[in-house]
Amino acid sequence: MLSRQFQTLRHLQKSTTTTHLLQLQALILKTALDRDEFFISKFIQSSSSVSIEFTRLFFDSLLPLDPPPPIFAFNTIIREYSKSSSPLESVKLFSQLQRVGLKPDKFTYPFVLKSCGWCSVIGVGGAVHSLVVKMGFDSDRYVGNTLLRMYSGCGTIGFARQVFDEMCERDVVSWSSMIAGYVACNCPLDALMVFQSMKLVNQNPNSVTLVSLLSACTRLLNIRIGTSIHSHVIVNNIKLDVALGTALLEMYSKCGRIEVALQVFSSLEEKNLQSWTIMISGVADHGRGEDAISLFTQMEENGLKPDSLSFSGILSACSHLGLVEEGKRYFDQMVNTYGIKPTMEHYGCMIDMLGRAGMIEEAYRVIKSMPMEPNSVILRSFIGASKNHGEVNCLDENLRKLLLQIEPDLGGNYVLAACVSSVSENWNDVASLRDAMKGRRLKKAPGCSWVEVNSASSGEIIQPAVG
């Protein structure tokens, strides 16, 4: 019997296809190894890395047996589902585990909680949290880290912070998870405050922590703290991997230091699609459309397949440069070569590009061809371009009505519509639009820009400069 187990295990270690697994399954049933808990655990562990679907079918066939599959087998499949495109199956298996009378252990809960976070099922996650406390696993650091990530993933950052504050022991993963949670929930200033507390307890950040901190700096447009993080990376000789390097170049790009961003980009030994896309969008946003096109070409030459965001960046560059033919070519390439379905943002770039070039009729045809209703940004862009190029007489009245319908409380929309009516000398329409603004007590918001004040001392104080 023992020699048969060893022989089957050797075959199992060499199994890389479902066909091999089916042959082994037949051997298992023939030799009654399906009653051996150790062997079943090993078989499920190996087969799940080959095919989770096959493993699940095999596992389900064992459930009616007495005794049921061991907890290790349950944990293995729950873990694999938590990493798959069907994480909710982990939660279902967790319920099944309880129904057959097995008790979850400290390895079960993190996988289930991770799946709850991915699926944003806060009710189930809270119930699992209650079980964690009841079973006494709330003091386990690994379980605690997964709990706070689960609450952050569900957008309930307050619960995540409560878990964090109640942890008896925190490691760098705990601190990093809390910082990342605040960033994910759009609370970047809180993320930086947690980092200050992290420094007070002499907990050194790792690369994951720094990536989240740089994301917080990017959202706050805080170049001072972002630069200090870069200095920390250099002084401590931290490897600039693709994730950290990409976060750095995005921070510099969004904070207006495009030359430094390009230097970081050039220094990266490894660049992924996100790195290229952020750099392309960065130079495009800084009015360097030719550099954006050059980078896009280099990205394709390096064998990377552009995605939806990559094309948003290059189409934006073509729009600001007035490169209409190039923009049309990229749009066609996106749809017909790469099979990417255009989003609202892609259509917006095309309409803005055509509008800037005075090609109003063609921009209108793009709007009519859209499979979705245009948003307010597209409508304002098109109507504004029609006004600027004196093409208001052929403007579709329904588009102006749609703009006011989508955003009835934005004064600028009424002003734009009134300007178009005044150009076409439709004074009755102008008067009714002004009456509508007065009735709603609306005013056109003044243009504004953001500048950082007292950055040398605080770095967090941001004030608007109205102009």
Side-chain angles (χ1 to χ4, degrees):
M1 179 68 178
L2 192 60
S3 62
R4 188 184 302 149
Q5 283 183 328
F6 284 132
Q7 183 181 4
T8 310
L9 280 172
R10 282 197 298 270
H11 287 297
L12 181 58
Q13 292 169 354
K14 298 178 182 179
S15 296
T16 57
T17 66
T18 306
T19 303
H20 289 162
L21 293 175
L22 285 168
Q23 292 171 350
L24 279 172
Q25 182 183 10
L27 180 62
I28 288 168
L29 296 175
K30 182 179 179 181
T31 56
L33 285 175
D34 57 336
R35 300 283 178 158
D36 189 305
E37 289 192 0
F38 171 78
F39 184 80
I40 288 302
S41 298
K42 286 294 182 182
F43 181 78
I44 288 176
Q45 185 180 29
S46 297
S47 64
S48 61
S49 63
V50 177
S51 171
I52 186 63
E53 292 80 11
F54 169 87
T55 306
R56 179 63 184 274
L57 288 172
F58 174 75
F59 179 81
D60 287 344
S61 70
L62 301 177
L63 288 176
L65 299 180
D66 187 21
I71 188 67
F72 180 86
F74 271 97
N75 287 348
T76 300
I77 303 184
I78 289 174
R79 180 190 63 207
E80 290 301 319
Y81 271 124
S82 72
K83 299 185 296 183
S84 73
S85 58
S86 307
L88 197 59
E89 290 299 316
S90 291
V91 181
K92 295 178 181 178
L93 274 172
F94 179 72
S95 299
Q96 204 165 21
L97 179 155
Q98 293 174 297
R99 284 198 298 271
V100 298
L102 291 176
K103 288 186 178 181
D105 59 20
K106 67 177 183 179
F107 300 107
T108 315
Y109 290 108
F111 304 138
V112 178
L113 290 168
K114 179 182 177 182
S115 297
C116 291
W118 279 119
C119 300
S120 295
V121 283
I122 184 64
V124 178
V128 176
H129 187 182
S130 298
L131 284 174
V132 166
V133 175
K134 181 179 178 181
M135 301 301 294
F137 291 121
D138 52 321
S139 59
D140 185 276
R141 189 172 57 198
Y142 185 50
V143 174
N145 289 340
T146 316
L147 264 173
L148 68 89
R149 285 198 296 268
M150 183 273 293
Y151 282 124
S152 299
C154 293
T156 51
I157 194 63
F159 288 142
R161 184 55 190 263
Q162 184 176 343
V163 171
F164 179 78
D165 289 339
E166 292 176 355
M167 292 180 73
C168 302
E169 184 181 357
R170 305 185 188 105
D171 58 9
V172 66
V173 176
S174 313
W175 290 96
S176 299
S177 298
M178 193 68 250
I179 291 170
Y182 272 127
V183 173
C185 293
N186 200 27
C187 303
L189 194 57
D190 290 300
L192 296 181
M193 291 173 67
V194 171
F195 179 57
Q196 292 295 329
S197 300
M198 182 179 181
K199 290 195 294 184
L200 290 175
V201 298
N202 296 318
Q203 177 68 67
N204 292 322
N206 60 15
S207 180
V208 176
T209 320
L210 298 176
V211 169
S212 295
L213 290 171
L214 287 167
S215 296
C217 293
T218 301
R219 297 194 183 197
L220 291 169
L221 300 180
N222 193 317
I223 188 65
R224 184 183 68 85
I225 297 181
T227 303
S228 69
I229 293 172
H230 192 183
S231 298
H232 176 86
V233 170
I234 295 171
V235 170
N236 291 276
N237 199 27
I238 297 175
K239 179 178 172 57
L240 205 61
D241 59 24
V242 65
L244 185 55
T246 301
L248 262 176
L249 68 90
E250 182 178 31
M251 184 274 297
Y252 280 122
S253 176
K254 292 291 177 65
C255 292
R257 304 288 180 84
I258 191 64
E259 290 297 339
V260 183
L262 283 166
Q263 290 173 13
V264 172
F265 181 76
S266 299
S267 69
L268 288 177
E269 295 180 5
E270 181 186 357
K271 305 179 184 75
N272 61 11
L273 182 60
Q274 185 184 16
S275 313
W276 286 95
T277 299
I278 288 173
M279 200 68 259
I280 291 167
S281 299
V283 293
D285 291 342
H286 283 78
R288 297 170 60 164
E290 293 178 355
D291 290 334
I293 292 173
S294 175
L295 284 169
F296 190 89
T297 303
Q298 291 177 47
M299 180 182 71
E300 288 186 298
E301 290 174 349
N302 285 345
L304 288 172
K305 182 181 178 182
D307 63 0
S308 178
L309 291 175
S310 306
F311 278 105
S312 293
I314 197 64
L315 288 173
S316 176
C318 291
S319 173
H320 286 93
L321 270 180
L323 302 175
V324 177
E325 293 306 315
E326 288 83 350
K328 291 180 181 179
R329 178 170 58 82
Y330 281 122
F331 189 86
D332 181 72
Q333 181 184 13
M334 177 184 73
V335 176
N336 297 318
T337 303
Y338 292 104
I340 298 172
K341 187 177 181 180
T343 65
M344 187 78 75
E345 187 174 0
H346 298 132
Y347 284 115
C349 289
M350 291 297 292
I351 292 162
D352 182 63
M353 179 184 69
L354 294 168
R356 287 170 183 260
M359 304 170 71
I360 305 302
E361 290 186 8
E362 190 167 351
Y364 179 70
R365 286 197 295 271
V366 172
I367 290 178
K368 299 303 289 184
S369 70
M370 291 171 58
M372 73 285 284
E373 190 176 78
N375 62 14
S376 59
V377 176
I378 289 178
L379 292 171
R380 273 195 298 272
S381 173
F382 176 71
I383 294 171
S386 300
K387 177 180 73 71
N388 294 336
H389 291 280
E391 299 284 348
V392 296
N393 291 326
C394 59
L395 185 62
D396 189 341
E397 182 67 22
N398 292 326
L399 295 182
R400 284 195 297 164
K401 292 180 179 178
L402 180 60
L403 176 61
L404 299 178
Q405 180 183 337
I406 293 174
E407 288 183 338
D409 297 324
L410 189 64
N413 291 339
Y414 292 86
V415 173
L416 178 60
C419 286
V420 171
S421 296
S422 65
V423 171
S424 59
E425 298 185 355
N426 189 347
W427 304 115
N428 290 333
D429 195 22
V430 172
S432 64
L433 286 167
R434 287 177 175 171
D435 289 341
M437 282 188 71
K438 289 179 182 179
R440 290 177 175 270
R441 297 181 179 181
L442 300 176
K443 291 183 179 181
K444 182 180 182 298
C448 66
S449 58
W450 292 91
V451 295
E452 192 172 315
V453 179
N454 299 329
S455 61
S457 60
S458 67
E460 288 91 22
I461 304 175
I462 300 177
Q463 297 290 346
V466 178

